[in-house]
Amino acid sequence: MLDETRKFIVIIILLFITGCSTDHKPGKAAYPPPPSTTIKETGTDVLRQGHIRMFTCSAWSPDGSRIACGGADRRIRIWDVKSRRLMYTLKGMNDDPWGLIWTPDGYIIAACLDGTIHFWKYPSGVNDLTFQAHDDSILSIALKPGGNEITTASQDGTIKLWEPGNKKPLLVLAHKGEEALSVALTKDYIAGGFNDGKIIIRTLTGKNETRHIDTGSPVVFLAAEQAGNYFASVDEKGKITIWEIKNGNKIAELTGPAPPPGGLAFSSSGKYLAAVSQTDGVIIWRKNDAGEFIKDVSNTTAPGDKKFLGLYSVSFSPSGDELAVVGRRRAIRILSLKDNKWREIPAFQSEIYAVDFLNDQKHVISSGGNRRIDICDIKDMKPVSSCIYDRADAVGALLVLPDKNGPDGKVASFVSGDISGNVCLWEGAPQKGFSPVKEVNIGETEIWKLRLSPDKKSVIAACEDGYIRILDLPGLENSREIKAHSDSVVNVVFHPGGDRLSSSSCDNTIHIYSWPEMHLLRVLKGHTYDVYGLAFSGDGKKLYSVSGDRTLREWDIEAGKLIKTYHALGDCGMSIIESPAELQLYSIISWDGIQRFWNPSAPEKWRKTLIGRDLLCQAYSDDGSVLVVGDAGGKLNLMDGRTGELKGEISLP
């Protein structure tokens, strides 16, 4: 929960091997935002911006055939690199994984922002062990080369060395109460980076010798060369320094990517060093015969290349022949260092992010991670046409507009919004297909939701950068933009009276504005995670919200107060909408794969339908007889809008 009078704290993301992220308190250095969630400190709220379908960390399998990625949706997904097929999804974490390791003996280990460590056995997917390793967020995790020991660095100010299966640390390091931001581990040494710019190196064999290096700036990343001769550090300004680990001598300084830094890793042979940035993409250095690191121009991406913006993690395959980069984009990009070619795993191509009924009520449109907008016949339960969309990795928002008259009869139209800030107006017919007639870009921001104003003259866009943008029809002119939240705006809904607009955000708050003036009237606080779903009551006196904190909350909008909290959702609540057919009947969907009907007049009685996959979006037909729910498996689930009975499903290609 964020207080407007408090200073915001922003954390930088960590990455594989070093996996470092830092939470900065007032007076300390601030970093741009990594992916979405909010973690709780004593007396302070820690803010991270972004999207639930973003990656925070990655790790290769020991044989290099598979890659695991942890995300801001509290899941770890494993892909087969060759076939690009999603093989497994690991769940069970209560907070985001912030570092990931795949051990030689087949364990996938995740370090999370709630201070816990999770051990899964691969390929069974069994969680063998979970325990509270730290009192605060774990910001970095590293694996001992050739072994199974791990080390973790935490906001609680400690660095700990662990033996697999043992909940008691072998070693604990601390430094004047400073936050431990990063850690690196070799066979003989452990190195920790702290918020005051100190690097502490401790021997693990022989005498317990300790050395201190003063870098002068918070050490946000550390990466060790596997042979154990040297390690690299990155400070908050993006400066990369290579150090001799035995004596702490500086070997070289490299001109790294412009801040904010995103990640750093050595190849297994130590021949390559790679860094990623949220703005400058990928930079690779190659070590020559003289031991100097020279920038590899052929493999360095061009600054500003949209495919490589917002990168947070880089990891080399065990052979050192390939590297993978992940971040805000919904894709894993892999570079072969043998032929200098990139290839892509579209990580969420099957997910459906938006669905809406066309005005004929016989067809629905849907979009998601497959770079396509599909039009489906709900009676025949099959797609009838598609719009190929190659402007961005995903289309996250759809809005059906009123039909208009054309020379050949009614012309249907809708607006789409993608993750690169493109808003596109489409016209056509379900059977013949739709074509884009107007496109505008409203900035390098993801569009989460589109709504039509009560007078049907404007489109309102909820944007990842915290803005609400108002586009006037028919030309989609960007007439106004309002900085609405300190984090992503994920939803907007209009009051039944048409004179107010409510927005929800990843800053855990709900705002109520006057419409069309957009004067802030109320700020509703209480959720402890991103707020995704909003719905007004039919009489306009109450507002209902669902959130990643797995609760449904009921609000008195005139008093601006929370009425009641319902702990009824098994996972992240994604959407709540009111039935057009039955007053005070609401459909709620969540990641636990369950669609729920809820009536405020009988709030403890829930009707549930198990679908089984992460549920992401939903829409009612005008008469309320049909409810369509889109899921993470690429299916549109057709349900009876009153009973919740599953009538069938449409599998999208």
Side-chain angles (χ1 to χ4, degrees):
M1 183 175 60
L2 296 175
D3 191 314
E4 297 161 301
T5 63
R6 297 178 184 173
K7 294 182 179 179
F8 297 126
I9 303 170
V10 185
I11 299 177
I12 187 78
I13 197 133
L14 65 96
L15 87 132
F16 168 62
I17 301 179
T18 74
C20 158
S21 171
T22 144
D23 161 62
H24 288 276
K25 300 177 180 177
K28 299 184 180 180
Y31 293 108
S36 141
T37 193
T38 301
I39 59 175
K40 190 74 175 172
E41 270 194 300
T42 304
T44 311
D45 292 320
V46 183
L47 174 66
R48 304 202 311 275
Q49 295 178 323
H51 194 289
I52 56 175
R53 292 315 197 213
M54 299 297 173
F55 293 121
T56 59
C57 48
S58 62
W60 292 75
S61 63
D63 64 1
S65 66
R66 305 211 165 158
I67 187 167
C69 295
D73 58 359
R74 299 176 293 212
R75 282 158 172 64
I76 294 168
R77 294 174 173 84
I78 302 168
W79 282 269
D80 181 86
V81 175
K82 185 176 181 180
S83 68
R84 307 193 303 172
R85 189 161 61 95
L86 178 64
M87 306 299 295
Y88 303 93
T89 300
L90 305 178
K91 303 179 182 180
M93 294 166 286
N94 290 320
D95 212 331
D96 296 346
W98 217 237
L100 198 59
I101 282 173
W102 201 321
T103 68
D105 60 353
Y107 275 97
I108 296 172
I109 306 173
C112 298
L113 286 176
D114 58 3
T116 60
I117 299 177
H118 300 254
F119 293 76
W120 288 274
K121 186 65 177 176
Y122 180 83
S124 68
V126 174
N127 190 321
D128 278 0
L129 181 66
T130 295
F131 67 94
Q132 192 74 37
H134 288 271
D135 295 331
D136 210 329
S137 302
I138 301 175
L139 305 182
S140 181
I141 185 170
L143 175 69
K144 190 173 186 177
N148 291 309
E149 293 177 359
I150 63 171
T151 182
T152 52
S154 170
Q155 276 183 293
D156 65 9
T158 64
I159 291 175
K160 298 181 180 180
L161 182 67
W162 306 90
E163 187 178 42
N166 192 343
K167 297 181 181 180
K168 185 177 180 180
L170 300 173
L171 176 68
V172 179
L173 297 178
H175 168 61
K176 297 180 180 179
E178 291 287 339
E179 294 175 356
L181 308 182
S182 52
V183 67
L185 188 61
T186 70
K187 181 181 178 181
D188 300 318
Y189 296 92
I190 183 172
F194 292 84
N195 195 70
D196 65 352
K198 294 289 195 304
I199 298 174
I200 297 179
I201 303 173
R202 167 75 178 270
T203 58
L204 297 176
T205 57
K207 295 181 180 180
N208 294 328
E209 297 178 355
T210 302
R211 297 178 184 84
H212 292 73
I213 300 173
D214 190 355
T215 68
S217 185
V219 184
V220 297
F221 294 105
L222 289 176
E225 177 249 358
Q226 286 196 21
N229 297 317
Y230 49 86
F231 69 97
S233 66
V234 184
D235 66 17
E236 65 174 353
K237 299 176 182 178
K239 183 179 73 175
I240 298 174
T241 307
I242 299 177
W243 311 87
E244 188 175 2
I245 199 166
K246 184 177 181 178
N247 54 32
N249 291 336
K250 183 189 297 185
I251 298 175
E253 285 188 5
L254 305 178
T255 303
L264 186 72
F266 281 104
S267 63
S268 56
S269 65
K271 181 180 179 180
Y272 293 100
L273 174 65
V276 295
S277 165
Q278 296 179 47
T279 55
D280 277 6
V282 184
I283 299 179
I284 299 173
W285 293 268
R286 184 195 300 262
K287 188 170 67 171
N288 63 18
D289 293 339
E292 300 169 320
F293 283 89
I294 307 300
K295 186 177 290 187
D296 187 345
V297 179
S298 63
N299 286 322
T300 295
T301 61
D305 187 335
K306 289 187 176 182
K307 290 183 179 180
F308 297 97
L309 290 177
L311 295 178
Y312 295 129
S313 173
V314 56
S315 55
F316 279 93
S317 64
S319 67
D321 294 332
E322 294 181 304
L323 66 82
V325 295
V326 296
R328 298 175 72 84
R329 299 283 173 169
R330 291 171 175 79
I332 304 164
R333 291 184 168 87
I334 298 175
L335 171 67
S336 169
L337 295 169
K338 292 181 177 179
D339 57 15
N340 300 338
K341 291 183 179 179
W342 288 92
R343 68 186 191 276
E344 177 182 302
I345 299 176
F348 300 110
Q349 60 181 336
S350 64
E351 297 193 338
I352 300 172
Y353 298 135
V355 63
D356 204 354
F357 275 83
L358 291 177
N359 293 316
D360 65 6
Q361 301 299 298
K362 299 177 182 178
H363 298 89
V364 295
I365 57 172
S366 64
S367 65
N370 59 4
R371 298 178 180 176
R372 195 178 62 245
I373 299 170
D374 292 296
I375 296 89
C376 298
D377 186 310
I378 62 172
K379 182 179 180 181
D380 294 338
M381 296 189 185
K382 64 180 182 181
V384 294
S385 61
S386 295
C387 308
I388 304 301
Y389 192 90
D390 59 0
R391 294 164 181 80
D393 290 334
V395 179
L398 293 172
L399 172 67
V400 172
L401 300 178
D403 291 348
K404 64 180 184 180
N405 293 320
D408 299 322
K410 292 284 186 180
V411 176
S413 63
F414 63 87
V415 177
S416 65
D418 68 29
I419 69 168
S420 296
N422 299 308
V423 181
C424 187
L425 174 63
W426 303 77
E427 291 184 355
Q431 299 292 342
K432 296 180 180 180
F434 289 79
S435 300
V437 295
K438 177 71 175 181
E439 184 177 27
V440 298
N441 184 274
I442 59 175
E444 189 61 38
T445 183
E446 181 168 341
I447 300 169
W448 282 65
K449 189 72 70 174
L450 296 170
R451 297 287 186 191
L452 188 63
S453 63
D455 62 5
K456 298 179 173 55
K457 294 182 178 180
S458 301
V459 173
I460 291 81
C463 300
E464 182 193 25
D465 58 5
Y467 279 84
I468 294 173
R469 290 177 171 85
I470 300 169
L471 310 176
D472 292 338
L473 294 170
L476 295 177
E477 291 84 8
N478 190 357
S479 61
R480 280 191 291 166
E481 57 182 32
I482 298 93
K483 180 62 175 177
H485 289 267
S486 60
D487 205 334
S488 304
V489 184
V490 296
N491 203 349
V492 287
V493 294
F494 278 98
H495 186 271
D499 60 345
R500 278 168 282 183
L501 173 76
S502 181
S503 62
S504 65
S505 170
C506 292
D507 67 10
N508 307 348
T509 68
I510 300 165
H511 290 184
I512 299 176
Y513 295 89
S514 62
W515 178 263
E517 301 84 4
M518 289 301 291
H519 296 153
L520 181 61
L521 305 175
R522 294 277 188 276
V523 177
L524 307 180
K525 301 179 181 181
H527 281 292
T528 59
Y529 208 91
D530 311 344
V531 186
Y532 298 116
L534 287 176
F536 281 101
S537 61
D539 60 11
K541 295 181 179 180
K542 296 178 181 178
L543 182 69
Y544 307 110
S545 59
V546 293
S547 162
D549 62 13
R550 304 175 184 178
T551 67
L552 161 69
R553 301 190 187 227
E554 183 178 6
W555 308 86
D556 183 323
I557 63 171
E558 296 301 328
K561 294 183 178 179
L562 178 66
I563 298 173
K564 190 169 183 180
T565 299
Y566 300 91
H567 297 274
L569 308 180
D571 209 326
C572 175
M574 289 302 296
S575 171
I576 176 171
I577 56 175
E578 186 176 16
S579 167
E582 187 174 338
L583 190 64
Q584 290 196 337
L585 180 66
Y586 293 84
S587 174
I588 299 171
I589 59 172
S590 73
W591 284 354
D592 60 6
I594 298 175
Q595 181 274 335
R596 295 168 170 85
F597 282 122
W598 178 71
N599 191 324
S601 61
E604 305 303 330
K605 295 181 179 179
W606 297 77
R607 284 183 283 154
K608 305 177 183 180
T609 300
L610 176 63
I611 296 176
R613 296 169 290 272
D614 289 5
L615 306 182
L616 304 178
C617 57
Q618 60 178 338
Y620 265 115
S621 61
D622 281 350
D623 63 3
S625 63
V626 181
L627 176 68
V628 178
V629 178
D631 66 34
K635 297 184 185 300
L636 295 173
N637 303 275
L638 306 182
M639 309 176 69
D640 186 294
R642 296 177 178 84
T643 67
E645 179 186 357
L646 274 170
K647 297 294 186 179
E649 62 183 32
I650 302 173
S651 296
L652 299 178

